[in-house]
Amino acid sequence: MSKINAEIVADSVNVQGDRLTSVLVTMPRIILSEMNTHRMLSKNTSSSRAIPFNKMVESVKNDPFIPIAWQKEHSGMQGSEYHEDTHKLAEGWLTARNSAIQIAEGLNNNKVTKQLANRLLEPFMWTTMLITGPKSGWDNFFNLRLEKDADPNI
């Protein structure tokens, strides 16, 4: 089951006609750096450093991020071919998660700060981000991601 979600939480237009939209997004933590590259949008993200270590481990054990599709190796930023044997790939992903948990727990047992121990768990975490921006910022964001013939009004 995917937890990926986006919900408009505020949408307003001022007297000059400028639109400002805020979206609350739940996404895999591993794409946070890609989201942060968009300077036309203002963002605030939940911090893995602030979450207690044991709570983080339980979250990663009980509800890990697992890719829903496995792209084949490709050049450039967008690929279009996907692996068919997703079960085997998902098993490998969960094996990596289990190893990360074991190593992070070892660090925690040795009194290493959660700011470091939690970092090992990030590929398997979900995060929440509040994103706010003007129409021009959102247009830029989606124009970089939509296929050339996609409906721009989605």
Side-chain angles (χ1 to χ4, degrees):
M1 176 190 291
S2 173
K3 286 179 58 171
I4 297 171
N5 188 50
E7 176 185 354
I8 295 174
V9 293
D11 188 34
S12 59
V13 179
N14 67 13
V15 295
Q16 290 83 17
D18 302 317
R19 176 173 231 134
L20 190 67
T21 305
S22 294
V23 180
L24 187 63
V25 178
T26 300
M27 62 187 175
R29 178 93 162 95
I30 63 172
I31 66 170
L32 181 60
S33 61
E34 285 80 3
M35 292 297 298
N36 284 337
T37 62
H38 295 278
R39 295 176 47 147
M40 295 177 74
L41 300 172
S42 176
K43 299 164 289 291
N44 190 339
T45 308
S46 58
S47 170
S48 63
R49 297 182 314 145
I51 300 171
F53 177 77
N54 290 331
K55 184 175 181 181
M56 180 75 69
V57 169
E58 283 307 307
S59 174
V60 169
K61 282 182 180 178
N62 297 327
D63 188 22
F65 162 68
I66 303 170
I68 57 174
W70 299 82
Q71 257 186 16
K72 291 184 177 182
E73 183 178 9
H74 57 84
S75 61
M77 293 183 64
Q78 295 291 338
S80 60
E81 294 182 41
Y82 293 85
H83 289 276
E84 293 180 20
D85 187 8
T86 60
H87 180 74
K88 185 175 183 178
L89 295 169
E91 283 180 358
W93 184 264
L94 291 174
T95 298
R97 179 222 34 198
N98 294 343
S99 294
I101 289 171
Q102 183 179 15
I103 293 166
E105 287 177 332
L107 292 174
N108 184 62
N109 291 340
N110 283 301
K111 306 297 183 206
V112 171
T113 178
K114 67 181 177 189
Q115 293 179 16
L116 293 176
N118 282 355
R119 296 283 187 204
L120 294 175
L121 305 176
E122 287 182 355
F124 314 99
M125 291 171 42
W126 296 97
T127 195
T128 302
M129 175 183 271
L130 180 64
I131 310 169
T132 301
K135 183 179 183 315
S136 59
W138 288 109
D139 286 348
N140 175 263
F141 176 83
F142 286 113
N143 286 337
L144 292 171
R145 283 162 178 74
L146 291 176
E147 294 180 21
K148 300 290 183 236
D149 59 349
D151 179 359
N153 297 311
I154 48 176

